[in-house]
Amino acid sequence: MTRHHRHLLIHLLVLAVLVLAAPAVRAQLYQNPVNPPATKEQVPLYQPQEKLVGTVSIPDEKLSVLVQPEGREWREFRSYWLRVVAGTLALGMLAALTLFYLFRGTIRISKGRSGRWVPRFGGFDRFAHWTTAVSFLIMAITGLIITFGRPLLIPLIGHEAFTSTAYASTFLHNFFAIPFTLGLILIFVIWIRDNLPEKADLVWLRTLGGVLNKAGEHPEAGRFNAGQKLIFWAVVFGGFALAVSGVLLMLPFSVTGIGGMQILHVLHGLIASLMIAVIIAHIYIGTIGMEGAFDAMGRGVVDENWAKEHHSRWYEEQILAMRANDGRPVHHRAAE
């Protein structure tokens, strides 16, 4: 056999091996495809079921988390469910209060204003209240901008203006957390004694404070009635929960990992939504909902007839205390 014939025979043998091995190779590729052929129903590139963690040599272990499936659930909550919950609570409360106003109207002082004023809150009380209230309103507005701004404001003001608005909202939201927390501590310290539960609160709750009674009859109450006590404890517990979760969000990964940060964000958003609904009701009662209520925090005094109707026991205690001290009457004509 010549040299040429040997080379030809080797080539034929190699070709025969490749032909025979091709079906097996192709089957193996389809079993573990690297680039499978395109189909009509494309399969998602990645469908993780568990957390995928690598190994890093630096101290920051959270950077070793390459994929976290729970992140998709958090993103869905952040971009959809939080908006649904916050919008439903706020708009639902506004709708309920509108219906109540149409049914009941403003709760008037049954005997009308007397023109005589009873001291209700001192300057320090009002400072603590308004510091907490103004700070919360600013944080609520900026929080809603951060939550709803992208789908609602971008079509109205454009991307560039929204970027500046969102940045300013984030700064204000974080900044006013400080006076909000300080004010919250103050109102807790100065009002906790008057907001402890008592037997008279059950009567107030059973009759809803007499607000549905147009005859002007209201159950006995001390300095704060049961409704105000509910607002107080909702603000205290909800406010401190917002403060703690907010600080941890501003100091990311200081005490928890990625999963913990996502849980904190969910809790912060839900509690804030509930608080906004509660404060909407509080603002309604303190303004158009009840005649004479705003005077308490606006001027520090209330009309004598209002005090008798809504806080009769507190009014009697004020009279007795003033007479025991110096004999002067508890009320005086308000300065014009």
Side-chain angles (χ1 to χ4, degrees), residues 100 103-110 200-221 225-228 285 289-291 306 308-312:
F100 180 80
F103 170 76
R104 179 64 173 85
T106 301
I107 301 173
R108 300 291 181 182
I109 301 174
S110 60
D201 296 334
L202 298 176
V203 179
W204 194 97
L205 292 172
R206 187 167 59 248
T207 61
L208 293 179
V211 296
L212 299 180
N213 185 359
K214 294 187 178 182
E217 298 178 2
H218 299 277
E220 172 191 323
N225 58 43
Q228 293 168 325
I285 291 296
M290 179 179 292
E291 181 185 12
W306 184 93
K308 290 179 180 179
E309 290 182 15
H310 297 283
H311 299 272
S312 57

Side-chain angles (χ1 to χ4, degrees), residues 21 57 86 101 120 123 139 206 214 222 224 239 247 304 308 313:
S57 59
Y101 181 79
R120 176 71 169 158
M139 289 193 300
R206 187 167 59 248
K214 294 187 178 182
F224 297 110
V247 168
E304 184 180 40
K308 290 179 180 179
R313 177 156 46 88

Side-chain angles (χ1 to χ4, degrees), residues 56-220:
V56 293
S57 59
I58 59 178
D60 196 350
E61 295 183 357
K62 67 177 179 294
L63 295 180
S64 65
V65 179
L66 304 179
V67 176
Q68 190 210 27
E70 292 82 359
R72 297 197 305 277
E73 300 174 1
W74 170 82
R75 186 167 55 250
E76 182 181 7
F77 168 82
R78 172 68 176 80
S79 60
Y80 179 75
W81 287 111
L82 178 58
R83 296 170 181 173
V84 171
V85 172
T88 300
L89 288 174
L91 296 178
M93 180 60 74
L94 288 173
L97 293 174
T98 300
L99 292 175
F100 180 80
Y101 181 79
L102 294 175
F103 170 76
R104 179 64 173 85
T106 301
I107 301 173
R108 300 291 181 182
I109 301 174
S110 60
K111 295 182 180 180
R113 290 182 177 270
S114 67
R116 296 181 295 273
W117 301 90
V118 182
R120 176 71 169 158
F121 293 114
F124 187 71
D125 296 79
R126 285 181 286 156
F127 169 79
H129 172 272
W130 288 115
T131 298
T132 309
V134 173
S135 300
F136 178 81
L137 289 177
I138 293 175
M139 289 193 300
I141 293 172
T142 54
L144 291 174
I145 290 175
I146 296 171
T147 302
F148 292 95
R150 182 170 293 277
L152 294 181
L153 295 182
I154 288 180
L156 297 176
I157 63 177
H159 287 272
E160 184 175 353
F162 173 73
T163 299
S164 301
T165 303
Y167 178 80
S169 297
T170 303
F171 174 80
L172 292 173
H173 193 86
N174 295 338
F175 176 82
F176 278 93
I178 299 174
F180 171 76
T181 304
L182 294 177
L184 194 64
I185 294 173
L186 289 179
I187 65 174
F188 175 76
V189 172
I190 64 180
W191 290 341
I192 182 174
R193 184 181 64 177
D194 296 316
N195 279 280
L196 296 176
E198 56 183 345
K199 187 176 180 179
D201 296 334
L202 298 176
V203 179
W204 194 97
L205 292 172
R206 187 167 59 248
T207 61
L208 293 179
V211 296
L212 299 180
N213 185 359
K214 294 187 178 182
E217 298 178 2
H218 299 277
E220 172 191 323

Side-chain angles (χ1 to χ4, degrees), residues 217-282:
E217 298 178 2
H218 299 277
E220 172 191 323
R223 189 182 188 192
F224 297 110
N225 58 43
Q228 293 168 325
K229 291 178 180 180
L230 290 176
I231 294 292
F232 173 83
W233 288 111
V235 169
V236 167
F237 285 117
F240 279 124
L242 287 179
V244 172
S245 59
V247 168
L248 293 177
L249 288 173
M250 287 190 290
L251 303 173
F253 308 110
S254 57
V255 297
T256 185
I258 297 176
M261 292 298 298
Q262 292 169 348
I263 293 174
L264 283 172
H265 184 274
V266 170
L267 292 176
H268 191 81
L270 293 177
I271 295 171
S273 300
L274 289 170
M275 284 280 290
I276 290 173
V278 169
I279 296 304
I280 288 175
H282 179 59

Side-chain angles (χ1 to χ4, degrees), residues 322-323 326-332:
M322 293 293 290
R323 288 176 178 174
D326 52 19
R328 291 180 300 174
V330 67
H331 50 260
H332 56 276

